[in-house]
Amino acid sequence: MAGGRSSIPGHAEPVISASFSPDGCSLASGSGDKTVRFWDVSTETPQHTCTGHRHWVLCIAWSPDCRLLASGCKSGEVRLWEPGQSRLLASSSKDGDVRVWDAQLQRCLRVLTGHRQSVTCLAGAAPTSSTAASQDRSVRVWAATDGAMCRALQGHGHWVNTLALSTDYSCGRAYDPASGDVGHLADKRTDDEKLAAAKKRYATLLASSGGEERLVSGSDDFTMFLWNPVKGTKPLARMTGHQQLINDVRFSPDARLIASASFDKSIRLWEGKTGKFVAALRGHVQAVYMVAWSADSRLLVSGSADSTLKVWSMRSRKLQLDLPGHADEVFAVDWSPDGQRVVSGGKDKLLRIWRR
């Protein structure tokens, strides 16, 4: 990140979410100004401003093929932008339901029920199941084939805020750190070939993890649980050490580590297979809101209420770079698939691009 930084104005209210497209060519952001904006990564200039939401845009998500972006706002609407070949989209709500949509037909295919309070988050799309966490203190798993609920994972003493699957990165990114292939949509591969490549990445990561997908959940009760969401309801590990609520959890792209961010101003690292504590990363002076991994799993970036980003080395388990520059709290961070850029968005209404 020592190569420079730039500031991108445009939003009229705080930037709440920001995410690079899986191919690394585009950047999207959602804001309290009720808009979704698309930006050209190479020129760092605006491409489109999408209006229509009636309240703050709280979250955005790219389809793996980059042809669709979904955004959700505080009024309960989910909107789709740049429609293409992607078909399925899952959304969650305060009504306690998870809905699966046909994105092309804009039609609800299935309603996944069982939660008794607001659904706070969804895990990344797995081939065999869908997973959601709720303020009812449970995590629920449904079969992808027919929507039948497989199991309820219980044990947390308060709201479950965040989920992550060990295969998230293979499902949601087109970048292969081994070959350097970013998988641009401009390449000559057919859709079937791209799907086959994605399935191969998933299978490779699953094999390196012992053939079993793992799920981690973080809660307002200051704890995390590590689960095998397919096999049973008993957690593999209960992960303790944070002193305040947990905002964000992320498996590293190689699934060897888990990073957790908390209101206690720290980031903690855990073994991806066992949930065993590895290290605490300290340096932020206020709550840590979000973390993001580099594609090679060697670096981690964090964004905080203290208005800074910090880059941490996994080799030394220490702070590598301090990135001040925002004038207020940093709500969103993401790392580009090629590892060359970090984006951050915050209460100061700005997006910032940090280059290596």
Side-chain angles (χ1 to χ4, degrees), residues 120-121 123 131-134 137-140 153-165 214-228 235-240 242 246-251 258-260 270:
T120 51
C121 58
T131 310
S134 169
R137 302 179 291 178
S138 75
V139 177
R140 294 179 185 262
L153 309 179
Q154 297 178 324
H156 281 296
H158 212 294
W159 298 349
V160 185
N161 298 319
T162 180
L163 293 173
L165 277 169
R214 294 180 306 284
L215 175 78
V216 62
S217 57
S219 170
D220 269 15
D221 66 8
F222 310 169
T223 73
M224 295 181 291
F225 281 104
L226 186 66
W227 315 84
N228 183 325
L236 302 176
R238 183 172 183 261
M239 303 150 71
T240 62
H242 279 298
I246 296 163
N247 293 311
D248 195 22
V249 292
R250 305 278 173 146
F251 276 93
I258 299 167
S260 56
W270 318 80

Side-chain angles (χ1 to χ4, degrees), residues 8-47:
I8 307 178
H11 282 296
E13 293 293 339
V15 179
I16 301 172
S17 53
S19 179
F20 285 102
S21 60
D23 64 4
C25 294
S26 296
L27 171 68
S29 57
S31 169
D33 64 11
K34 308 175 189 177
T35 70
V36 173
R37 291 177 180 249
F38 291 89
W39 313 84
D40 184 278
V41 172
S42 58
T43 63
E44 299 179 3
T45 56
Q47 290 179 319

Side-chain angles (χ1 to χ4, degrees), residues 292-316:
W293 289 94
S294 62
D296 59 11
S297 303
R298 295 178 180 177
L299 298 171
L300 181 76
V301 65
S302 55
S304 168
D306 65 13
S307 80
T308 73
L309 286 77
K310 297 186 188 297
V311 179
W312 310 87
S313 167
M314 293 302 100
R315 176 179 295 178
S316 65

Side-chain angles (χ1 to χ4, degrees), residues 20 33 48 64 67 88 118 127 147 156-157 186 199 212 225 280 305 322 324:
F20 285 102
D33 64 11
H48 309 289
R67 297 177 182 177
L88 296 181
S118 298
H156 281 296
K199 288 182 177 179
E212 295 183 344
F225 281 104
D322 194 16

Side-chain angles (χ1 to χ4, degrees), residues 17 26 29 81 117 122 127 136 169 178 181 186 195 223 291 301 340 342 349:
S17 53
S26 296
S29 57
W81 315 98
Q117 295 186 41
L122 300 172
D136 67 10
Y169 203 91
D181 175 22
L195 180 60
T223 73
V291 292
V301 65
Q340 297 304 304
V342 165
K349 309 175 187 178

Side-chain angles (χ1 to χ4, degrees), residues 120-151:
T120 51
C121 58
L122 300 172
T128 58
S129 62
S130 299
T131 310
S134 169
Q135 290 182 0
D136 67 10
R137 302 179 291 178
S138 75
V139 177
R140 294 179 185 262
V141 183
W142 295 268
T145 52
D146 58 6
M149 194 179 79
C150 303
R151 57 188 52 84

